[in-house]
Amino acid sequence: EPEVTQTPSHQVTQMGQEVILRCVPISNHLYFYWYRQILGQKVEFLVSFYNNEISEKSEIFDDQFSVERPDGSNFTLKIRSTKLEDSAMYFCASSAQGANTGELFFGEGSRLTVL
Amino acid sequence: GDSVTQMEGPVTLSEEAFLTINCTYTATGYPSLFWYVQYPGEGLQLLLKATKADDKGSNKGFEATYRKETTSFHLEKGSVQVSDSAVYFCALEGAGGTSYGKLTFGQGTILTVHP
C-alpha cells in the first residue's frame, strides 16, 4: 500500500540552526501539507501546497518557515533559524484531492528537538 | 475560528466493551468531519468521515453520525478489541471549498484496550 515517508524520524538541533525535514508523498497525489504537534497539544495545520505554490498557510508559518518541492518527488519543510518553541512532531501529508472529497495520508512524523 | 473539542483521555477499556469518544465542534456553515486514528509507530490514518448533516461514517466497526443540531460527531464502537488501542483524533475541514486539506484537530484521545 502506498505511503507517505518522512525523514529523519528524529532530529536534535541547537537553537538558531537551520533544519530541513523531508517527505516523500504518495506519487500520484497533488496536494501536500505540513502539520505539527507540540507535545501535549493539538495537531496544527502549518501549510498546504498545490501546483508548486503555497495554497494556504497558518499564522504559525512565518518567515522562518519555507516549503519546497525540489524534484517532483520530495516535499521539504525548512526552518531557517530554529527556536526552542519549534520543538514538536512534524507531520507531512498528501492527498489526491481536497480532504472533503479525498483523504489525507499522513507520514509517521519527524520529531524535532531544539536545544 | 473553527475548533474541535474532544473527550479528555486516556480511555481504558476491557476487550468487547462499548466505546464512545465524544467530539463537538465549532464552525460556520457545514464543515466536513473526520475521525483519524494513529496506531503506535505509524502516521495518522483516516478512519471515517461525513461530509453533510445526518451522514453516518463507518469503518472497521466504528461509527460516527454528523449531528448539526448538537454540533457533534461522536465516535462509537460496539465491541472493542485490543488491536483498537491507538490515539483517536476528531477533525473538521471548513466549509466553502477554499481550504482543502486544512484540518482543525481535536486534542486526541488515547484508547487502551486490555484483554
Side-chain angles (χ1 to χ4, degrees):
Chain A
E1 187 173 327
E3 59 181 17
V4 175
T5 56
Q6 290 185 240
T7 54
S9 56
H10 188 195
Q11 180 156 359
V12 180
T13 191
Q14 296 292 323
M15 191 169 53
Q17 295 298 303
E18 177 183 283
V19 161
I20 297 176
L21 305 179
R22 292 184 167 79
C23 170
V24 179
I26 294 172
S27 62
N28 62 343
H29 284 185
L30 302 176
Y31 299 81
F32 312 107
Y33 315 89
W34 283 100
Y35 284 78
R36 79 171 186 189
Q37 185 179 30
I38 295 171
L39 189 63
Q41 299 186 23
K42 296 183 178 184
V43 176
E44 304 171 289
F45 170 82
L46 291 179
V47 65
S48 59
F49 191 87
Y50 170 71
N51 199 26
N52 279 319
E53 60 183 26
I54 290 174
S55 305
E56 188 163 359
K57 59 183 181 180
S58 71
E59 60 274 13
I60 302 167
F61 195 88
D62 61 22
D63 292 343
Q64 295 296 318
F65 291 89
S66 62
V67 289
E68 192 177 33
R69 189 157 159 80
D71 56 11
S73 61
N74 291 285
F75 179 53
T76 62
L77 174 69
K78 182 192 290 186
I79 308 174
R80 190 178 323 143
S81 178
T82 50
K83 303 188 282 285
L84 294 176
E85 55 265 37
D86 294 327
S87 295
M89 181 72 88
Y90 289 82
F91 293 103
C92 174
S94 68
S95 66
Q97 306 167 68
N100 65 338
T101 52
E103 68 182 270
L104 268 64
F105 290 78
F106 285 82
E108 294 179 23
S110 293
R111 180 168 297 284
L112 175 64
T113 301
V114 182
L115 302 177
Chain B
D2 297 344
S3 68
V4 176
T5 301
Q6 253 180 268
M7 170 179 170
E8 292 286 336
V11 174
T12 302
L13 295 173
S14 297
E15 206 164 26
E16 298 183 3
F18 184 83
L19 169 71
T20 300
I21 301 177
N22 290 337
C23 172
T24 58
Y25 68 90
T26 302
T28 54
Y30 289 84
S32 296
L33 301 174
F34 308 85
W35 277 99
Y36 276 81
V37 59
Q38 185 179 28
Y39 299 104
E42 300 184 15
L44 283 76
Q45 304 172 24
L46 179 65
L47 180 60
L48 52 84
K49 70 178 183 182
T51 57
K52 58 183 188 294
D54 300 324
D55 267 2
K56 177 186 283 187
S58 61
N59 186 24
K60 299 181 182 179
F62 291 88
E63 293 183 341
T65 301
Y66 188 141
R67 301 285 188 200
K68 179 68 175 173
E69 64 276 13
T70 54
T71 61
S72 64
F73 192 55
H74 304 322
L75 182 69
E76 296 182 336
K77 185 174 186 182
S79 176
V80 293
Q81 305 300 310
V82 172
S83 57
D84 294 325
S85 298
V87 184
Y88 292 81
F89 295 90
C90 185
L92 70 80
E93 184 187 50
T98 58
S99 297
Y100 291 133
K102 181 183 178 183
L103 300 179
T104 300
F105 282 90
Q107 60 266 46
T109 301
I110 300 171
L111 170 66
T112 303
V113 180
H114 292 299

